[in-house]
Amino acid sequence: RTREACGVGSGDKAAGRSVMSSLARLATCNLNQWAMDFRGNLERIEASIREAKAAGCTFRTGPELEVTGYSCEDSFLEADTLAHAWESLAALLASDLTDGILCDIGMPVMHRNVSYNCRVVLLNRRVVGVRPKVCLANDGNYREMRYFTPWFIDPTSPGYGALEQYYLPRIVRELTGQRTVPIGARHRPRL
């Protein structure tokens, strides 16, 4: 939304109201992703980032498990599914798509031999952090706990517990030069 559409106009300074120096423009993406269609899913993610950047957005978020598709079922239990997800993420990092836009990408991640349904945050060809899902859908048509574990949060700890270090896979380390990034229920990213 433009400054005028957000209620910030030239009359605000004259009226003595404070004016925000800048506004974030957010792109939320509802993509038509298919289970295990890594190439097609990646193409749709790339197109959504291009569209978000063209609209002047500084933050882009997509659906959960958008890299693999949501309904992979028992394929989530296979190591190849995770490896292909990281290959897709590496393709995003190898391009200029994440330059100047914070991208929130949904994909499965294994940490300490436990699979999590995660948000991987990218900016300027780097991984900012990994945010695992805390509450999993596990009723009706949904059986997320068959494939994923909810991230443990300590309600007695400020911010729901400490962040841990996630060791990035080799394909990402070689592209970004990063060895680890924070993983946990909260982030204080170093941008």
Side-chain angles (χ1 to χ4, degrees):
R1 295 175 35 179
T2 65
R3 293 175 60 83
E4 292 75 21
C6 293
V8 178
S10 59
D12 291 328
K13 284 185 182 175
R17 292 187 291 265
S18 74
V19 177
M20 296 172 66
S21 62
S22 65
L23 298 172
R25 191 169 195 154
L26 168 69
T28 61
C29 305
N30 186 8
L31 306 177
N32 188 21
Q33 302 300 69
W34 291 85
M36 304 301 286
D37 180 15
F38 292 98
R39 181 175 292 133
N41 292 347
L42 177 60
E43 289 170 0
R44 288 181 286 278
I45 293 167
E46 291 169 337
S48 73
I49 296 171
R50 281 190 209 93
E51 186 175 338
K53 287 175 84 169
C57 295
T58 55
F59 179 63
R60 178 260 182 217
T61 186
E64 69 178 306
L65 300 170
E66 65 185 305
V67 173
T68 57
Y70 185 82
S71 58
C72 293
E73 297 184 356
D74 284 354
S75 293
F76 282 128
L77 303 174
E78 298 176 14
D80 278 357
T81 302
L82 297 165
H84 292 312
W86 282 107
E87 289 168 358
S88 294
L89 196 83
L92 292 173
L93 293 167
S95 72
D96 65 352
L97 285 171
T98 63
D99 291 353
I101 186 168
L102 191 68
C103 294
D104 176 26
I105 309 291
M107 62 181 268
V109 172
M110 184 170 284
H111 175 62
R112 296 185 178 182
N113 291 323
V114 178
S115 290
Y116 297 97
N117 177 348
C118 291
R119 310 302 303 173
V120 180
V121 182
L122 312 176
L123 177 66
N124 296 330
R125 303 179 199 204
R126 295 180 59 81
V127 179
V128 176
V130 179
R131 194 331 180 155
K133 195 171 177 182
V134 175
C135 298
L136 300 178
N138 208 48
D139 59 356
N141 291 328
Y142 303 100
R143 296 286 176 254
E144 288 186 7
M145 291 185 75
R146 176 177 169 88
Y147 315 110
F148 303 109
T149 299
W151 186 262
F152 174 76
I153 58 172
D154 181 0
T156 65
S157 173
Y160 301 115
L163 295 174
E164 297 181 13
Q165 290 301 306
Y166 177 74
Y167 289 87
L168 292 167
R170 178 179 298 167
I171 191 169
V172 174
R173 286 193 315 256
E174 291 173 353
L175 279 171
T176 66
Q178 298 173 275
R179 182 173 167 80
T180 64
V181 295
I183 184 172
R186 68 170 177 160
H187 289 294
R188 291 188 183 162
R190 290 168 269 162
L191 301 177

